[in-house]
């Protein structure tokens, strides 16, 4: 499919046009297909730069959320309507920012996983389920570009063109496999989940951090990361375009004494101006000037069990429980024809195996799984497997 059925709609970029779209979509029928395009890798943050919708009776709408940053009236008009998204958790944060929050949803990617499809990208799903090949050439472009080129708008409109058709076909397939109620529980969990908490110490996720061992070097990573983040936010560009992670780690390991030494490191070469070099060296110097008490501690405090690779030494019985549980979950996932992580999260399995209930039985294991956020269908499927694994290793 190379062209939307009704052609490429005009981009909605003013309040009058938006009001017409809201009225049309409120009067439409059935589920609404929703998608959003971000400028990851180009701009700071994960805001939406285009929102696409399609609903029976309303057609397709392309909305510019830069020109129309408050779409809460549209969100309210679609309250109670089922929203169809592909990989919903990727788009929901940026939609929430502009006032669009679904009360009900259907996630076609997650539906594909639960139904056992080997490839769950939108293009692969549309082709495999509906027999259409979508034009998929513009997913990684800079969607903050204005005006948006026509080929990009065509691609964006096609992303919602067949989403409701795909939803209907997947619903039938899930029903055939006896998994439709499972899928609905998953969709309800996504729709009702609160926004994620901000990451603690996000600088610790700098790529290559495993090489940085000393606390003074960790302080350099933190200072450079925070300086880069402020600059990226001010300039509204992706942090990686300001300074690469590899360059941050390089400076942390070298602890350069001055701008001249910094300029000799990878990532700070001849293209970088004197003023830029000075700002990075100033960050290094700030970290070098911190007292011992101000230096970050190595490693993050880990909530929950330690990494499984250390279990055999710390608690051999727990390691044996985990091995048996993993084997059981893997076999069950294969039997149910779905990825293990969709059957039950690996983190949940680890937590239950590290600290099993005092008395291992179906009731206590089910309560432990529910306590870690497992859905009812997951509890029902996984409890017998874990009871067997935990009981066998306690014997």
């Amino acid at each position: 499919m190379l062209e939307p059925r009704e052609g490429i709609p005009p981009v909605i970029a003013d309040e009058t046009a938006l009001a017409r779209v809201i009225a049309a979509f409120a009067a439409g029928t059935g589920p609404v297909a929703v998608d959003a395009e971000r400028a990851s890798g180009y701009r700071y943050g994960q805001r939406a730069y285009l929102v696409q919708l399609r609903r029976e009776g309303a057609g397709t709408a392309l909305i510019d959320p830069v020109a129309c940053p408050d779409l809460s009236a549209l969100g309210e008009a679609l309250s109670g309507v089922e929203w169809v998204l592909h990989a919903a958790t990727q788009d929901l944060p940026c939609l929430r920012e502009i006032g669009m929050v679904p009360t009900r949803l259907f996630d076609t990617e997650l539906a594909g996983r639960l139904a056992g499809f080997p490839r769950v990208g939108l293009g692969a799903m549309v082709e495999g389920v509906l027999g259409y090949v979508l034009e998929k050439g513009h997913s990684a472009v800079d969607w903050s570009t204005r005006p948006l080129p026509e080929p990009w708008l065509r691609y964006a409109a096609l992303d919602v063109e067949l989403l409701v058709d795909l939803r209907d076909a997947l619903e039938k397939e899930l029903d055939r496999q006896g998994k439709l109620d499972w899928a609905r529980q998953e969709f309800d969990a996504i729709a009702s989940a609160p926004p994620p908490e901000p990451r603690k110490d996000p600088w610790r996720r700098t790529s290559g951090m495993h090489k940085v061992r000393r606390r003074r070097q960790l302080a350099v990573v933190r200072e450079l990361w925070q300086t880069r983040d402020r600059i990226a936010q001010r300039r509204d560009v992706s942090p990686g375009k300001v300074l690469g992670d590899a360059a941050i780690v390089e400076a942390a390991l070298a602890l350069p004494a001055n701008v001249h030494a910094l300029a000799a490191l990878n990532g700070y070469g001849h293209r970088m101006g004197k003023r830029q070099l000075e700002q990075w060296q100033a960050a290094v110097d700030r970290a070098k000037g911190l007292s011992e008490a101000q230096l970050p501690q190595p490693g993050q405090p880990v909530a929950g069990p330690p990494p499984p690779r250390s279990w055999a030494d710390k608690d051999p019985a727990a390691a044996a429980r985990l091995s048996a549980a993993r084997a059981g979950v893997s076999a069950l996932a294969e039997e149910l024809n779905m990825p293990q992580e969709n059957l039950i999260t690996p983190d949940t399995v680890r937590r239950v195996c590290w600290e099993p209930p005092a008395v291992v039985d179906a009731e206590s294991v089910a309560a432990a799984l529910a306590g870690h956020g497992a859905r009812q269908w997951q509890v029902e499927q996984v409890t017998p497997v874990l009871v067997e694994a935990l009981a066998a290793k306690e014997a």
Side-chain angles (χ1 to χ4, degrees):
M1 181 172 273
L2 299 174
E3 198 72 32
R5 281 171 276 202
E6 296 108 26
I8 304 169
V11 177
I12 304 302
D14 64 71
E15 294 304 320
T16 307
L18 178 61
R20 285 198 296 269
V21 163
I22 292 169
F25 274 79
T29 57
V32 58
V34 182
D35 190 24
E37 305 296 346
R38 299 177 299 282
S40 307
Y42 297 94
R43 295 287 180 176
Y44 186 86
Q46 293 295 314
R47 68 168 294 180
Y49 283 94
L50 188 70
V51 175
Q52 307 101 279
L53 303 100
R54 182 174 177 83
R55 193 179 189 197
E56 187 68 36
T60 296
L62 303 178
I63 303 173
D64 178 358
V66 178
C68 302
D70 181 6
L71 298 186
S72 53
L74 176 59
E76 284 161 22
L78 296 171
S79 181
V81 175
E82 181 187 84
W83 296 22
V84 184
L85 298 106
H86 191 80
T89 52
Q90 290 181 24
D91 286 340
L92 288 178
C94 71
L95 289 169
R96 186 182 282 113
E97 278 181 16
I98 52 178
M100 294 186 66
V101 184
T103 50
R104 295 168 53 213
L105 64 83
F106 189 107
D107 184 333
T108 49
E109 190 215 37
L110 183 49
R113 289 177 182 279
L114 295 174
F117 284 86
R119 293 166 62 225
V120 292
L122 181 59
M125 294 283 288
V126 166
E127 187 174 351
V129 177
L130 301 177
Y132 288 97
V133 178
L134 283 183
E135 196 271 309
K136 293 294 290 179
H138 303 292
S139 58
V141 298
D142 180 2
W143 287 95
S144 69
T145 302
R146 291 294 181 274
L148 285 163
E150 187 178 284
W152 299 11
L153 296 173
R154 181 180 296 109
Y155 157 88
L158 286 170
D159 261 4
V160 290
E161 183 79 15
L162 298 168
L163 212 45
V164 173
D165 298 340
L166 179 61
R167 172 236 176 273
D168 292 345
L170 287 170
E171 183 177 62
K172 285 187 186 136
E173 179 58 23
L174 287 165
D175 194 31
R176 187 187 71 76
Q177 294 186 25
K179 297 175 181 174
L180 183 55
D181 183 55
W182 302 359
R184 285 182 177 141
Q185 289 181 41
E186 291 297 306
F187 303 154
D188 287 348
I190 294 171
S192 61
E197 293 285 319
R199 276 210 179 99
K200 189 175 185 295
D201 292 347
W203 60 270
R204 289 186 186 271
R205 296 177 64 84
T206 303
S207 183
M209 275 291 285
H210 61 281
K211 301 176 195 169
V212 183
R213 301 288 167 82
R214 286 159 40 204
R215 291 176 65 203
R216 184 72 57 189
Q217 294 172 328
L218 288 172
V220 173
V221 173
R222 180 176 65 185
E223 200 63 47
L224 284 170
W225 190 97
Q226 290 173 345
T227 302
R228 176 183 73 173
D229 197 62
R230 285 193 295 272
I231 295 166
Q233 192 166 8
R234 189 177 71 241
R235 287 170 45 192
D236 190 17
V237 295
S238 165
K241 289 190 177 299
V242 176
L243 187 69
D245 280 10
I248 289 178
V249 170
E250 186 92 3
L253 296 175
L255 295 173
N258 51 44
V259 168
H260 183 70
L262 180 70
L265 300 177
N266 286 334
Y268 301 89
H270 60 278
R271 284 197 203 160
M272 196 172 278
K274 182 166 179 266
R275 193 156 149 251
Q276 287 175 292
L277 284 167
E278 284 171 350
Q279 83 188 354
W280 301 128
Q281 184 61 43
V284 172
D285 291 342
R286 282 194 298 276
K288 286 163 78 172
L290 294 174
S291 69
E292 284 293 318
Q294 293 171 306
L295 297 178
Q297 293 297 328
Q300 286 173 288
V302 178
R309 63 180 176 273
S310 67
W311 286 28
D313 293 330
K314 290 183 189 234
D315 188 341
R321 289 193 292 268
L322 183 62
S323 177
R326 281 174 163 172
V329 168
S330 175
L332 179 58
E334 199 166 322
E335 189 185 315
L336 294 173
N337 189 27
M338 69 171 66
Q340 291 180 46
E341 63 271 19
N342 291 110
L343 173 58
I344 191 75
T345 68
D347 180 64
T348 298
V349 175
R350 284 195 294 271
R351 286 171 186 267
V352 173
C353 289
W354 184 252
E355 287 186 41
V359 177
V360 173
D361 58 25
E363 193 177 341
S364 64
V365 171
L369 287 170
H372 292 305
R375 262 69 73 195
Q376 186 57 38
W377 76 271
Q378 294 175 314
V379 172
E380 289 165 2
Q381 293 298 316
V382 174
T383 293
V385 171
L386 288 191
V387 168
E388 188 178 335
L390 297 175
K393 295 302 163 185
E394 294 302 314

